[in-house]
Amino acid sequence: MYQLCNHPLMDFNQAFHSYDTLEGANCQTLFGRKASQQEAAIEAVQKNGLHQIRDVEQSCFEEMPETYGMFCERLECLRAVDADHRQ
């Protein structure tokens, strides 16, 4: 049996990879299971929680400002999952 966990350097913004949809691309790291990157990130947060150490400043997106809005949507999605997980 395997234990689901986040990589120590997990970056949830990259977890969705494709920036044109909330779901992202197909997840490549589920060892044969089919899921979107969003589904994989949600499953990880449900099992482990969302341990965000600090806010992500918009200035981090200076080179790709068009991705900031999608990043915020994805983070809010995972925060909602985490809030449900904590209840």
Side-chain angles (χ1 to χ4, degrees):
M1 187 168 140
Y2 70 93
Q3 181 178 7
L4 180 70
C5 65
N6 297 330
H7 186 278
L9 299 176
M10 182 68 170
D11 174 350
F12 283 116
N13 189 45
Q14 291 301 319
F16 293 96
H17 194 59
S18 175
Y19 281 89
D20 55 344
T21 66
L22 189 60
E23 294 81 23
N26 290 326
C27 184
Q28 303 295 315
T29 59
L30 290 179
F31 307 106
R33 288 178 36 215
K34 234 179 151 87
S36 70
Q37 290 172 323
Q38 180 188 31
E39 291 167 329
I42 287 171
E43 183 179 344
V45 170
Q46 287 171 332
K47 302 241 183 208
N48 301 300
L50 178 65
H51 304 283
Q52 183 178 0
I53 357 181
R54 66 183 185 126
D55 288 335
V56 178
E57 297 176 19
Q58 188 171 356
S59 63
C60 294
F61 294 83
E62 286 177 356
E63 293 186 26
M64 297 187 330
E66 68 281 1
T67 62
Y68 181 69
M70 185 57 73
F71 168 81
C72 292
E73 284 185 51
R74 291 168 177 174
L75 181 57
E76 285 309 308
C77 171
L78 296 177
R79 283 180 175 159
V81 170
D82 188 51
D84 289 345
H85 168 74
R86 292 174 188 258
Q87 290 182 8

